[in-house]
Amino acid sequence: MTTTAHTQQPPVLKVGLLGAGTVGSQVAHVLLTRADELALRTGVQLQLSGIAVRDTAAPRDVALPAELLTTDADAVIDGADVVVELTGGIDPTRARVLRALNAGKSVITGNKALLAEHGRELQDAAAATGAQLSYEAAVAGAIPIVRPMRDSLAGDRVERFLGIMNGTTNFVLDQMDTTGAAFDAALAEAQELGYAEADPTADVAGHDAAAKTAVLASLAFHSSYTIDDVHCEGIRSVTAEDMAAAREAGYVIKLLSVGERCADGVNLRVGPVMIPREHVLGGVRGAYNAVFVTAAAAGSLMFYGQGAGGEPTASAVLGDLVSAARAIALGAQGIPLADYAALPAVSMDEVSTKLAVTLAVTDRLGVLAQLAQVFADHGVSISTMQQSEDPRTTGTSMLRLVTHTGRHADLMATVEALRGLPVVRDVVSVTPVETGE
Ligand SMILES: NC(=O)C1=CN([C@@H]2O[C@H](COP(=O)(O)OP(=O)(O)OC[C@H]3O[C@@H](n4cnc5c(N)ncnc54)[C@H](O)[C@@H]3O)[C@@H](O)[C@H]2O)C=CC1
Ligand SMILES: N[C@@H](CC=O)C(=O)O
Ligand code: NA
């Protein structure tokens, strides 16, 4: 940081920006148009000193000064006091973030994919030089959840979080649910609106939500998790029929992220689940996100807001930047990750879940007794059952069963045994049910 000759001028903090896409261009816009206002808040003049992009001539949402644009990311890092990383991806981003942190330069990033794979390495690099590593934008976009989890709840014991933490998939599922839109059309719209990752497979397959789950769980449970610790399923298998059946039963299907303490550690999972429509998470629409946290003393807390998109995400990035600038001005060091608890991530098998299972079965006498026997053999009980004609084939019935809560491994073994029965023509869908209690 450089102090200007005139003592009345605030010291200048040079900000190097990596990436000027959906989010980066909005961050640049604020830095270029509201720097004086931010100086009044931080006591530091934030000066955009360089912007690294892949193609300096590419069209952008926001006009950026040509003299700041370069393809030389290392030069931007070396010429800055603090670095904002909004390129995404693992390589070469990891090396660039390390270059900054190793030089003692604080880094603000929205890159959950990087954090969920190399978070520990980056945290160590930051701790070694006292730099700050800030990533509010990496989990649930604009919603303040990283800092509340790290700071506000630091004196409590987080038991569980349930979150809708991917805007793209929530948008797609919501469109399918409310307008009957086709999956691919809804996804294309989410991409158009700037919600999706550069490769939207990361959203659809649940990887983006899984990365966020690992990042948030590391803070919630004072342990270091990677994306490999998260059991992950995407939304590709969710059909219009599943949505309609859920609606009929008073539920809605959402891609849910769960982090919860269990007997031998913590279970982390992401997948499509049925949530009661009246639950607060059931009412989260469009690209909005929400995180429902349960802590021992605080009880239930709800965090809600825009989980994706250029401007909302830029808000979280700028919040981190202002905070980093204040800390730098005060000579403060970064806050290291407290992962002393080292709680292991346990597999799905021992977790208590509840399943909604749709079966296409031969429509004849004695079928229900056969199914009931399979459930009994596995010690799994049925909570509700509905039967209707299978519109696809004559002589076949559709059975929609909801189990009581049971050990996940037992529930899945029951489904496999049902699949093996000659009277079961098809296991149409298997969706966990989350009551949110
Ligand atoms: N779009 C969103 O709603 C949100 C995005 N994020 C995260 O923010 C980051 C940026 O996301 P978007 O702005 O949506 O991405 P984007 O794809 O719109 O923009 C990426 C920018 O980085 C540049 N870039 C990519 N690779 C580069 C390289 N190797 N060298 C130099 N420049 C390179 C591109 O030219 C482009 O300017 C990602 O990590 C993403 O996961 C986080 C929260 C929400
Ligand atoms: N692709 C992500 C962007 C924000 O993290 C999402 O859809 O949530
Ligand atoms: Na956030």
Side-chain angles (χ1 to χ4, degrees):
M1 190 163 66
T2 50
T3 310
T4 52
H6 307 291
T7 45
Q8 71 272 26
Q9 293 293 323
V12 170
L13 191 75
K14 289 189 201 150
V15 181
L17 176 62
L18 310 183
T22 305
V23 185
S25 61
Q26 296 299 331
V27 170
H29 178 67
V30 172
L31 289 176
L32 291 167
T33 55
R34 291 181 35 219
D36 290 345
E37 192 188 347
L38 296 181
L40 293 172
R41 293 180 192 174
T42 57
V44 170
Q45 190 73 32
L46 296 170
Q47 183 194 87
L48 191 53
S49 53
I51 308 173
V53 293
R54 233 182 331 223
D55 174 5
T56 55
R60 299 181 195 284
D61 300 348
V62 170
L64 299 174
E67 67 276 14
L68 291 183
L69 293 172
T70 173
T71 54
D72 188 348
D74 286 349
V76 169
I77 296 165
D78 295 347
D81 298 312
V82 56
V83 172
V84 176
E85 185 279 304
L86 292 166
T87 49
I90 309 287
D91 290 315
T93 314
R94 170 173 160 255
R96 291 173 179 171
V97 172
L98 285 171
R99 183 184 184 96
L101 294 173
N102 289 338
K105 298 178 183 188
S106 293
V107 173
I108 291 109
T109 179
N111 193 336
K112 52 270 168 165
L114 178 65
L115 291 164
E117 233 173 84
H118 299 286
R120 181 70 265 174
E121 180 188 26
L122 303 183
Q123 299 275 3
D124 286 348
T129 59
Q132 300 171 68
L133 177 63
S134 314
Y135 45 91
E136 184 57 76
V139 184
I143 304 175
I145 182 68
V146 168
R147 273 190 276 165
M149 195 63 99
R150 189 195 64 188
D151 299 336
S152 318
L153 288 166
D156 208 332
R157 176 186 155 99
V158 174
E159 302 291 351
R160 182 177 72 161
F161 64 82
L162 299 177
I164 293 173
M165 307 208 296
N166 181 269
T168 302
T169 49
N170 202 56
F171 181 86
V172 170
L173 293 172
D174 187 40
Q175 290 283 98
M176 288 170 74
D177 180 46
T178 56
T179 69
F183 189 105
D184 289 329
L187 179 59
E189 199 179 340
Q191 287 178 272
E192 185 61 30
L193 291 165
Y195 303 149
E197 295 302 301
D199 176 0
T201 316
D203 298 292
V204 170
H207 299 154
D208 178 76
K212 291 165 176 165
T213 303
V215 171
L216 193 59
S218 299
L219 296 168
F221 304 117
H222 308 290
S223 306
S224 275
Y225 300 110
T226 72
I227 191 166
D228 295 334
D229 293 316
V230 185
H231 175 89
C232 177
E233 282 171 41
I235 63 162
R236 261 288 169 204
S237 60
V238 178
T239 63
E241 290 75 29
D242 295 336
M243 302 291 294
R247 191 180 319 117
E248 228 171 82
Y251 289 85
V252 59
I253 299 179
K254 298 286 188 190
L255 184 76
L256 198 71
S257 294
V258 182
E260 65 184 355
R261 288 180 192 268
C262 47
D264 302 314
V266 165
N267 178 253
L268 307 176
R269 57 187 188 271
V270 167
V273 304
M274 284 168 49
I275 299 178
R277 277 185 186 265
E278 69 271 14
H279 189 274
V280 284
L281 293 174
V284 177
R285 305 280 313 275
Y288 275 76
N289 282 191
V291 189
F292 191 71
V293 181
T294 311
S300 296
L301 300 163
M302 176 79 167
F303 299 82
Y304 173 79
Q306 296 192 68
E311 278 189 85
T313 307
S315 163
V317 172
L318 286 153
D320 275 349
L321 181 58
V322 163
S323 178
R326 284 181 181 140
I328 291 167
L330 294 169
Q333 301 232 319
I335 302 168
L337 175 71
D339 60 356
Y340 64 92
L343 295 174
V346 301
S347 85
M348 283 297 292
D349 284 358
E350 302 308 320
V351 172
S352 290
T353 55
K354 191 174 160 123
L355 294 182
V357 183
T358 304
L359 305 172
V361 299
T362 307
D363 191 4
R364 78 160 120 79
L365 206 65
V367 168
L368 290 185
Q370 285 186 46
L371 301 182
Q373 189 58 51
V374 170
F375 277 90
D377 290 347
H378 289 83
V380 172
S381 59
I382 298 169
S383 166
T384 62
M385 186 174 74
Q386 276 182 313
Q387 184 170 3
S388 59
E389 275 179 20
D390 184 347
R392 307 171 307 176
T393 334
T394 50
T396 308
S397 288
M398 278 294 207
L399 279 184
R400 297 188 201 285
L401 302 141
V402 179
T403 69
H404 276 296
T405 302
R407 191 174 156 264
H408 188 72
D410 295 337
L411 299 182
M412 293 311 288
T414 310
V415 172
E416 284 320 303
L418 290 169
R419 198 189 298 279
L421 286 181
V423 293
V424 174
R425 295 198 176 165
D426 189 14
V427 177
V428 180
S429 68
V430 179
T431 313
V433 178
E434 179 61 63
T435 56
E437 285 156 5

